[in-house]
């Protein structure tokens, strides 16, 4: 059973940068798409970014051009580099493993989740 552990959250000022990392257990990390989602208080969990097993990436319009998702299969990690952060980026960020090597954008397309890490962007 895969386990995902996020790290790197915290408090940053608007315009700043932050890097989130997610460490996965299990032997088949490279075979699956990986994604990042976020959930703000009172809101539904929303898609942020996804990277397929062959490193094709996809982003939510709200973060395109500011966030970059990457993966290191040897280290079993997926990262999210966040630049030009805005107060509206404040949320709990979750790492997730896709059900397939491609993945999609709905939470139902992902079958394993980390515990989440808080990102707070102050204005």
């Amino acid at each position: 059973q895969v386990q995902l552990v996020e790290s790197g959250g915290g408090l940053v000022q608007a315009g700043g940068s932050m890097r989130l990392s997610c460490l996965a257990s299990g032997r088949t990390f490279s075979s699956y798409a990986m994604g990042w989602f976020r959930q703000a208080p009172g809101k539904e969990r929303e898609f942020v970014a996804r990277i397929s097993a062959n490193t094709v990436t996809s982003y939510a319009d709200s973060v395109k051009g500011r966030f970059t998702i990457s993966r290191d299969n040897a280290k079993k990690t997926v990262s999210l580099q966040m630049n030009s952060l805005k107060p509206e980026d404040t949320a709990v960020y979750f790492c997730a493993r896709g059900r397939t090597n491609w993945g999609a954008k709905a939470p139902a397309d992902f079958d394993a989740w980390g515990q989440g890490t808080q990102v707070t962007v102050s204005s």
Side-chain angles (χ1 to χ4, degrees):
Q1 183 175 355
V2 65
Q3 288 188 324
L4 304 174
V5 179
E6 302 97 336
S7 61
L11 175 65
V12 65
Q13 287 189 332
S17 297
M18 183 177 289
R19 186 176 181 87
L20 305 181
S21 293
C22 173
L23 176 64
S25 64
R27 295 180 295 175
T28 58
F29 175 81
S30 62
S31 300
Y32 293 92
M34 298 295 296
W36 286 95
F37 289 76
R38 66 187 181 187
Q39 188 166 17
K43 295 188 177 181
E44 293 186 352
R45 191 167 298 190
E46 65 174 2
F47 169 79
V48 174
R50 180 211 72 211
I51 185 166
S52 70
N54 60 351
T55 68
V56 175
T57 58
S58 178
Y59 298 92
D61 288 343
S62 59
V63 307
K64 201 171 293 184
R66 299 188 298 122
F67 290 11
T68 302
I69 188 171
S70 60
R71 66 189 299 160
D72 184 332
N73 290 336
K75 296 181 179 179
K76 296 183 181 179
T77 59
V78 59
S79 299
L80 186 69
Q81 177 65 41
M82 305 184 293
N83 299 328
S84 302
L85 283 161
K86 304 175 181 180
E88 51 263 44
D89 294 319
T90 295
V92 177
Y93 283 71
F94 297 89
C95 170
R97 188 188 74 170
R99 295 184 184 275
T100 68
N101 62 346
W102 180 251
K105 300 181 179 180
D109 297 314
F110 294 78
D111 63 359
W113 295 82
Q115 81 288 349
T117 185
Q118 177 70 46
V119 172
T120 302
V121 184
S122 64
S123 57

